[in-house]
Amino acid sequence: MKIIDFHMHIKGGDRDRTEATGEEIIKIMDRAGIERSVVFSICISAREGNLKTYKEVKKFPDRLIGFATGIPAFNTNVCEEIERAVNEYGFKGVKVHRGIHTLEGYLIFPLIEKCIELDIPCLIDCCAEFEPVKEIVKNYPSAKIVVAHLGGEDQTVLEKLLDLANETENLYFDTSYVRAVGFIGKAIEKVGSKKLIFGSDGPLIPPEIDIAKINFWKLTEEEKEDIFYNNAKKLLKI
């Protein structure tokens, strides 16, 4: 079965700000049987992060898919940086992180509008905050929004997000670093395989672990293909 990993770090957000080379990531992907991976750099400036990601992606353009680092702020034009990363580097999406910046509309809405203009998905780590995701999805029904880690570790937030996904067409979830495996089962039950996308949060987290978390559930081959490959392929237009 083909696998796309939707959540892999060149530079991570862990305590040590772990960094990985393209060669290291490819080795991990080969070990886990992953065909392609979305990669990005966080906890760093957008310009520097995008350049760091691009240097590794261009080594393996058929295996690694770059996402821009999106850091909305008053003193930088994040939209110009995203457009540059897409047009010059060939990046296919944007990653934003609540742990690094606010998701308040006055900052995040222009970024979402740029993603719509460029027709690219936005991967959001909302750090278990529901309202910002709701505001984004409701205000921008044509945006392609993927919530990382099933939203976080709060079951109440997860259930609200799953209900929101059933009310809208444009909200998806990646399954990376979900420590409560039951959350994955709940998501499969409530929104089905068409709204879930495999991710590992590697290379810090071995992808084999998160692959096993999906395979634990009794899924049809079609459902597995949706989660491991088809949904990501559709959003990334590859």
Side-chain angles (χ1 to χ4, degrees), residues 61-73:
D62 295 331
R63 302 290 304 279
L64 303 181
I65 301 166
F67 266 31
T69 301
I71 306 178

Side-chain angles (χ1 to χ4, degrees), residues 170-200:
N170 61 327
L171 180 59
Y172 301 81
F173 303 90
D174 91 23
T175 63
S176 65
Y177 197 43
V178 177
R179 285 182 276 190
V181 181
F183 282 15
I184 295 176
K186 182 179 288 293
I188 292 169
E189 178 185 357
K190 290 199 71 171
V191 301
S193 63
K194 297 294 185 183
K195 288 293 189 84
L196 302 178
I197 300 172
F198 169 73
S200 70

Side-chain angles (χ1 to χ4, degrees), residues 210-224:
D210 282 83
I211 291 172
K213 290 177 183 178
I214 303 298
N215 286 329
F216 172 82
W217 304 97
K218 294 181 179 180
L219 303 173
T220 66
E221 287 303 308
E222 181 180 354
E223 288 172 326
K224 288 182 180 180

Side-chain angles (χ1 to χ4, degrees), residues 124-135:
I124 300 176
D125 187 338
C126 67
C127 296
E129 290 190 8
F130 171 70
E131 289 299 326
V133 177
K134 178 183 176 182
E135 289 301 307

